[in-house]
Coordinates of all heavy atoms in Angstrom, one line a residue:
R1200 N -71.5 21.1 -0.3 CA -72.8 20.9 0.1 C -73.7 22.1 0.1 O -74.8 22.1 -0.2 CB -72.8 20.3 1.5 CG -72.4 18.8 1.5 CD -72.6 18.1 2.8 NE -71.6 18.5 3.8 CZ -70.4 18.0 3.9 NH1 -70.0 17.1 3.1 NH2 -69.6 18.4 4.8
I1201 N -73.1 23.3 0.5 CA -73.8 24.5 0.4 C -74.1 24.8 -1.0 O -75.2 25.3 -1.3 CB -72.9 25.7 1.1 CG1 -72.8 25.4 2.6 CG2 -73.6 27.0 0.8 CD1 -71.9 26.4 3.3
A1202 N -73.2 24.6 -1.9 CA -73.4 24.9 -3.4 C -74.6 24.0 -3.9 O -75.4 24.4 -4.7 CB -72.2 24.6 -4.2
Q1203 N -74.7 22.8 -3.4 CA -75.8 21.9 -3.8 C -77.1 22.4 -3.3 O -78.1 22.1 -3.9 CB -75.5 20.5 -3.2 CG -74.4 19.7 -3.9 CD -74.1 18.4 -3.2 OE1 -74.6 18.1 -2.2 NE2 -73.2 17.6 -3.9
L1204 N -77.1 23.1 -2.2 CA -78.4 23.7 -1.7 C -78.9 24.9 -2.6 O -80.0 25.3 -2.5 CB -78.2 24.1 -0.3 CG -77.9 23.0 0.7 CD1 -77.7 23.6 2.1 CD2 -79.0 22.0 0.8
T1205 N -78.0 25.4 -3.4 CA -78.3 26.5 -4.2 C -78.9 26.0 -5.5 O -78.3 25.1 -6.1 CB -77.1 27.4 -4.5 OG1 -76.6 27.8 -3.3 CG2 -77.4 28.6 -5.3
D1206 N -80.0 26.5 -6.0 CA -80.5 26.1 -7.3 C -80.6 27.2 -8.3 O -80.1 28.3 -8.0 CB -81.9 25.4 -7.1 CG -82.9 26.3 -6.6 OD1 -82.8 27.5 -6.6 OD2 -83.9 25.8 -6.0
E1207 N -81.1 27.0 -9.4 CA -81.2 28.0 -10.5 C -81.9 29.2 -10.1 O -81.6 30.3 -10.6 CB -81.7 27.4 -11.8 CG -80.8 26.3 -12.4 CD -81.5 25.6 -13.6 OE1 -82.4 26.2 -14.2 OE2 -81.1 24.5 -13.9
R1208 N -83.0 29.1 -9.3 CA -83.7 30.2 -8.8 C -82.9 31.2 -8.0 O -83.0 32.4 -8.2 CB -84.9 29.8 -8.0 CG -86.0 29.1 -8.9 CD -87.1 28.5 -8.0 NE -86.4 27.5 -7.2 CZ -87.0 26.8 -6.2 NH1 -88.2 27.1 -5.8 NH2 -86.4 25.9 -5.5
D1209 N -82.0 30.6 -7.2 CA -81.1 31.5 -6.5 C -80.2 32.3 -7.4 O -80.0 33.5 -7.2 CB -80.2 30.7 -5.5 CG -81.0 30.0 -4.4 OD1 -82.0 30.5 -4.0 OD2 -80.7 28.8 -4.1
V1210 N -79.6 31.6 -8.4 CA -78.7 32.3 -9.3 C -79.5 33.3 -10.1 O -79.0 34.4 -10.3 CB -78.0 31.3 -10.3 CG1 -77.2 32.0 -11.3 CG2 -77.2 30.3 -9.4
A1211 N -80.7 33.0 -10.5 CA -81.5 34.0 -11.3 C -81.9 35.2 -10.4 O -82.0 36.3 -10.9 CB -82.8 33.4 -11.8
A1212 N -82.0 35.0 -9.1 CA -82.4 36.1 -8.2 C -81.2 37.1 -8.1 O -81.4 38.3 -7.9 CB -82.7 35.6 -6.8
W1213 N -80.0 36.6 -8.3 CA -78.8 37.5 -8.3 C -78.7 38.0 -9.8 O -78.1 37.3 -10.6 CB -77.6 36.8 -7.9 CG -77.6 36.2 -6.5 CD1 -78.2 36.8 -5.4 CD2 -77.1 35.0 -6.1 NE1 -78.1 36.0 -4.4 CE2 -77.4 34.8 -4.7 CE3 -76.4 34.0 -6.7 CZ2 -77.0 33.8 -4.0 CZ3 -76.0 32.9 -5.9 CH2 -76.3 32.8 -4.6
D1214 N -79.1 39.2 -10.0 CA -79.1 39.6 -11.4 C -77.8 40.2 -11.9 O -77.7 40.6 -13.1 CB -80.3 40.7 -11.6 CG -80.1 41.9 -10.7 OD1 -79.8 41.7 -9.6 OD2 -80.3 43.0 -11.2
T1215 N -76.8 40.2 -11.1 CA -75.5 40.7 -11.5 C -74.5 39.6 -11.5 O -74.5 38.7 -10.6 CB -75.0 41.9 -10.7 OG1 -74.8 41.4 -9.4 CG2 -76.0 43.0 -10.7
G1216 N -73.6 39.6 -12.4 CA -72.5 38.6 -12.5 C -71.6 38.7 -11.3 O -71.0 37.7 -10.9
E1217 N -71.5 39.9 -10.8 CA -70.5 40.1 -9.6 C -70.9 39.3 -8.4 O -70.0 38.7 -7.8 CB -70.6 41.6 -9.2 CG -69.6 42.5 -9.9 CD -69.7 43.9 -9.4 OE1 -69.8 44.1 -8.2 OE2 -69.6 44.8 -10.2
L1218 N -72.2 39.2 -8.1 CA -72.6 38.4 -7.0 C -72.2 36.9 -7.2 O -71.8 36.2 -6.3 CB -74.1 38.6 -6.7 CG -74.5 39.9 -6.2 CD1 -76.0 40.0 -6.1 CD2 -73.8 40.2 -4.9
V1219 N -72.4 36.4 -8.4 CA -72.1 35.0 -8.7 C -70.6 34.8 -8.5 O -70.2 33.8 -8.0 CB -72.6 34.6 -10.1 CG1 -72.2 33.2 -10.4 CG2 -74.1 34.7 -10.1
V1220 N -69.8 35.7 -9.1 CA -68.4 35.6 -9.0 C -67.9 35.7 -7.5 O -67.1 34.8 -7.1 CB -67.7 36.7 -9.8 CG1 -66.2 36.7 -9.5 CG2 -67.9 36.5 -11.3
E1221 N -68.5 36.6 -6.7 CA -68.1 36.7 -5.3 C -68.5 35.4 -4.6 O -67.8 34.9 -3.8 CB -68.8 37.9 -4.7 CG -68.1 39.2 -4.9 CD -68.8 40.3 -4.1 OE1 -69.7 40.0 -3.2 OE2 -68.6 41.5 -4.5
R1222 N -69.7 34.9 -4.9 CA -70.2 33.7 -4.2 C -69.3 32.5 -4.5 O -68.9 31.8 -3.6 CB -71.6 33.4 -4.7 CG -72.2 32.1 -4.1 CD -73.5 31.8 -4.7 NE -73.9 30.4 -4.4 CZ -73.5 29.3 -5.1 NH1 -72.8 29.5 -6.1 NH2 -73.9 28.2 -4.7
D1223 N -68.9 32.4 -5.8 CA -68.0 31.3 -6.2 C -66.6 31.5 -5.5 O -66.0 30.5 -5.0 CB -67.8 31.2 -7.7 CG -69.0 30.6 -8.4 OD1 -69.9 30.0 -7.7 OD2 -69.2 30.8 -9.6
A1224 N -66.1 32.7 -5.4 CA -64.9 33.0 -4.7 C -64.9 32.6 -3.3 O -64.0 32.0 -2.7 CB -64.4 34.4 -4.9
V1225 N -66.0 33.0 -2.6 CA -66.2 32.7 -1.2 C -66.3 31.2 -1.0 O -65.7 30.6 -0.1 CB -67.4 33.4 -0.6 CG1 -67.7 32.9 0.8 CG2 -67.1 34.9 -0.6
L1226 N -67.1 30.5 -1.8 CA -67.3 29.1 -1.6 C -65.9 28.4 -1.9 O -65.6 27.4 -1.2 CB -68.3 28.5 -2.6 CG -69.8 28.9 -2.2 CD1 -70.7 28.4 -3.3 CD2 -70.1 28.2 -0.9
S1227 N -65.2 28.8 -2.9 CA -63.9 28.2 -3.2 C -62.9 28.4 -2.0 O -62.2 27.5 -1.6 CB -63.3 28.9 -4.4 OG -62.0 28.4 -4.7
A1228 N -62.9 29.7 -1.5 CA -62.0 30.0 -0.3 C -62.5 29.1 0.9 O -61.6 28.6 1.6 CB -62.1 31.5 0.0
F1229 N -63.8 29.1 1.1 CA -64.3 28.3 2.3 C -63.9 26.8 2.1 O -63.6 26.2 3.1 CB -65.8 28.6 2.4 CG -66.3 28.2 3.7 CD1 -66.2 28.9 4.8 CD2 -67.1 27.0 3.8 CE1 -66.7 28.6 6.0 CE2 -67.6 26.6 5.0 CZ -67.4 27.4 6.2
A1230 N -64.1 26.3 0.9 CA -63.8 24.9 0.7 C -62.3 24.6 0.9 O -62.0 23.4 1.3 CB -64.2 24.5 -0.7
S1231 N -61.4 25.5 0.8 CA -60.0 25.3 1.0 C -59.6 25.3 2.5 O -58.5 24.8 2.8 CB -59.2 26.3 0.3 OG -59.3 27.6 0.9
L1232 N -60.5 25.7 3.3 CA -60.2 25.7 4.8 C -60.2 24.3 5.4 O -61.0 23.5 5.0 CB -61.2 26.6 5.5 CG -61.2 28.1 5.2 CD1 -62.4 28.8 5.9 CD2 -59.9 28.7 5.5
P1233 N -59.4 24.1 6.4 CA -59.5 22.9 7.2 C -60.9 22.8 7.9 O -61.5 23.9 8.1 CB -58.4 23.0 8.2 CG -57.5 24.1 7.8 CD -58.3 25.0 6.9
E1234 N -61.4 21.6 8.1 CA -62.7 21.5 8.7 C -62.9 22.2 10.0 O -64.0 22.8 10.3 CB -63.0 20.0 8.9 CG -64.5 19.7 9.3 CD -64.9 18.3 9.4 OE1 -64.2 17.5 8.6 OE2 -65.8 17.9 10.1
Q1235 N -61.9 22.2 10.9 CA -62.0 22.9 12.1 C -62.2 24.4 11.9 O -63.0 25.0 12.7 CB -60.7 22.7 13.0 CG -60.6 21.3 13.6 CD -59.4 21.2 14.4 OE1 -58.4 21.8 14.2 NE2 -59.5 20.4 15.5
D1236 N -61.5 25.0 10.9 CA -61.7 26.4 10.7 C -63.1 26.7 10.2 O -63.8 27.6 10.6 CB -60.7 26.9 9.6 CG -59.3 27.0 10.1 OD1 -59.1 26.9 11.4 OD2 -58.4 27.2 9.3

Side-chain angles (χ1 to χ4, degrees):
R1200 284 190 287 277
I1201 292 171
Q1203 289 173 352
L1204 296 176
T1205 304
D1206 61 20
E1207 291 175 23
R1208 290 172 295 172
D1209 296 324
V1210 175
W1213 300 323
D1214 58 315
T1215 64
E1217 272 182 39
L1218 292 175
V1219 174
V1220 170
E1221 278 184 16
R1222 179 185 167 275
D1223 285 343
V1225 169
L1226 288 174
S1227 175
F1229 195 76
S1231 71
L1232 295 176
E1234 187 173 334
Q1235 287 181 327
D1236 287 350

